[in-house]
Amino acid sequence: MISNYLNNGIAGYARMQESRVEFLYETISESKEHIESLLEQAYQIGKHYN
């Protein structure tokens, strides 16, 4: 439901022809290692986006 809204609603409004939604879980963490792994995950998602 949320993915559909973000992909079709917001991306469509912005006239983006392609979009993809990725969810990063447990983003409110005090663990520095966990936060660094989330940043790496986000970087890899962006790096390999087609």
Side-chain angles (χ1 to χ4, degrees), residues 38-49:
L38 289 174
L39 289 171
E40 178 63 25
Q41 183 181 353
Y43 172 77
Q44 292 300 325
I45 290 167
K47 183 177 177 182
H48 299 289
Y49 182 80

Side-chain angles (χ1 to χ4, degrees), residues 15-42:
R15 296 187 175 133
M16 296 174 63
Q17 294 180 355
E18 290 186 39
S19 67
R20 187 172 78 199
V21 174
E22 297 281 344
F23 293 100
L24 302 177
Y25 294 95
E26 298 181 35
T27 57
I28 302 175
S29 174
E30 295 184 22
S31 168
K32 186 174 181 171
E33 293 83 16
H34 180 68
I35 298 300
E36 288 177 3
S37 73
L38 289 174
L39 289 171
E40 178 63 25
Q41 183 181 353

